[in-house]
Amino acid sequence: MTTNQTDKTVERDCYLPLWDEATEEFHNGWLTYLVDDPYFVRLEIEDWPATVGAPRAVLLDGMDRLAECLSKPDRTALRVQPSSDVKHVLLGITQGDLTLGVFRTSADLFAKHLAGLYELVPEGEEMARIDWDAVIARLLSL
């Protein structure tokens, strides 16, 4: 966990080893969670062109069943589901109806990381953690 004392921003970066199901290659992955943006988690994959964001609740739901965030057809989205052996979780990166990649990771490690995110900001306390000044500034800059 990283804490910046200047602006009191807290974030958690969690390492996630990933196995590419299509190419059978190993990748390093990181889940990044910012306390002042408590609804979303970002997944960054080594050698992958873009970071993928998804609601924290989608990641949690994906531990038990297929869960995915809805996105515009031209945007990258994340699909999460347990694998058939239940020892792993599958993270599918999609763009519209097109699957760009499917990565496998340990279900136990994934669950441990998600539990840590909910320890930082318990469910139901998200609204109090949002930096509304930053949200408004971003909206006004669009």
Side-chain angles (χ1 to χ4, degrees):
M1 178 170 53
T2 306
T3 305
N4 180 330
Q5 294 301 325
T6 306
D7 62 10
K8 301 294 184 200
T9 300
V10 178
E11 74 177 54
R12 181 166 287 177
D13 294 307
C14 306
Y15 174 72
L16 202 60
L18 300 169
W19 184 257
D20 189 324
E21 294 286 292
T23 64
E24 297 188 0
E25 294 177 345
F26 174 81
H27 294 273
N28 293 305
W30 293 269
L31 292 174
T32 301
Y33 182 72
L34 303 173
V35 170
D36 64 354
D37 187 11
Y39 287 107
F40 287 89
V41 178
R42 281 128 190 102
L43 172 64
E44 182 180 349
I45 302 171
E46 178 182 56
D47 302 325
W48 194 259
T51 300
V52 180
R56 179 172 75 156
V58 168
L59 301 182
L60 184 61
D61 288 347
M63 293 293 301
D64 298 319
R65 63 186 175 280
L66 175 63
E68 62 186 316
C69 56
L70 299 175
S71 65
K72 296 178 183 176
D74 60 341
R75 300 292 303 261
T76 304
L78 186 63
R79 179 180 296 152
V80 184
Q81 68 187 71
S83 68
S84 59
D85 67 8
V86 296
K87 293 180 184 178
H88 298 96
V89 173
L90 300 176
L91 304 171
I93 299 175
T94 63
Q95 191 168 39
D97 292 332
L98 179 64
T99 299
L100 302 175
V102 177
F103 298 90
R104 181 179 70 220
T105 194
S106 162
D108 289 341
L109 181 61
F110 194 70
K112 178 183 169 188
H113 289 329
L114 288 178
L117 303 183
Y118 280 93
E119 286 173 10
L120 271 179
V121 179
E123 187 172 4
E125 294 184 15
E126 296 92 351
M127 291 295 283
R129 303 295 183 104
I130 295 173
D131 180 352
W132 290 106
D133 290 335
V135 170
I136 292 168
R138 265 185 267 149
L139 290 172
L140 292 174
S141 69
L142 295 177

